[in-house]
Amino acid sequence: MQSETVQPFGQPLMFAPLLALALLLSPTDTTVAQEPSSAAQLLQAVHAYVTPFDAPNEDLQVRTEWADLNGDGADDALVYLDGTSWCGSGGCTVLVFEAITGEADIAELGAFRPAAEISLMSGPIVVAETSHDGWADLVVENKDGQRVALQFDGETYPASPGDGVALGSNPIGTILFATAE
């Protein structure tokens, strides 16, 4: 799993690969870098997703964490959107992008496809060892501070922590977005 720093989103798309590469080569990053082509392809997928809703928003910042959510051996991306169109008093939006594997599928679908949009997110996300429909549960806190599991339903994750399943104990898993940047 890998984290990337906050990056401006209002840059012209033609500079996206250079921006992604520069962020991956940051001297403060101690984790193994995701392939630059994957980061650039993800940035293009994010741009295509947000543009119809928010074109162009100069204040939008994105932060990415990588994890294999569906067990296919390829790191999927969780993208935290921070900007006026994507945040409110209850938190911001996290997009989940599935990494597409196989050359024919990538040629047809692109390298990443949106798998979920989760609103009102604040605080860390735990990628739990438990799963539903082949995808890892995402454990977050709801507005009342209770830990809930966002369980994949075969098509997507719930739209907000308010739709999660209450947990009785702390999950085992990996923490993403542990620190605000």
Side-chain angles (χ1 to χ4, degrees):
M1 302 203 188
Q2 186 217 321
S3 172
E4 290 185 25
T5 57
V6 175
Q7 52 190 345
F9 196 79
Q11 303 296 322
L13 189 56
M14 65 184 182
F15 296 114
L18 294 176
L19 176 62
L21 182 59
L23 290 170
L24 290 172
L25 299 177
S26 168
T28 60
D29 188 6
T30 59
T31 58
V32 177
Q34 187 74 10
E35 290 293 320
S37 61
S38 293
Q41 290 170 329
L42 174 63
L43 192 58
Q44 289 174 343
V46 171
H47 181 268
Y49 187 89
V50 302
T51 296
F53 306 105
D54 192 33
N57 187 338
E58 295 296 325
D59 77 335
L60 182 62
Q61 300 285 312
V62 300
R63 196 167 86 179
T64 303
E65 297 271 3
W66 301 91
D68 182 6
L69 298 176
N70 58 6
D72 66 358
D75 279 345
D76 305 298
L78 288 92
V79 180
Y80 186 90
L81 302 177
D82 186 353
T84 54
S85 294
W86 297 95
C87 296
S89 60
C92 295
T93 299
V94 171
L95 302 176
V96 178
F97 281 89
E98 177 184 10
I100 304 300
T101 57
E103 288 183 34
D105 290 334
I106 290 173
E108 180 183 343
L109 304 171
F112 293 92
R113 77 162 189 90
E117 179 180 326
I118 309 166
S119 301
L120 304 172
M121 298 286 285
S122 62
I125 299 171
V126 175
V127 177
E129 290 183 357
T130 58
S131 64
H132 286 82
D133 282 309
W135 286 66
D137 294 344
L138 302 178
V139 178
V140 298
E141 287 187 2
N142 65 16
K143 67 178 179 155
D144 299 325
Q146 181 181 27
R147 287 192 171 270
V148 296
L150 302 177
Q151 299 173 340
F152 199 78
D153 67 5
E155 293 186 26
T156 191
Y157 284 101
S160 75
D163 298 325
V165 176
L167 296 176
S169 62
N170 288 329
I172 296 173
T174 303
I175 299 173
L176 305 179
F177 301 111
T179 59
E181 293 186 23

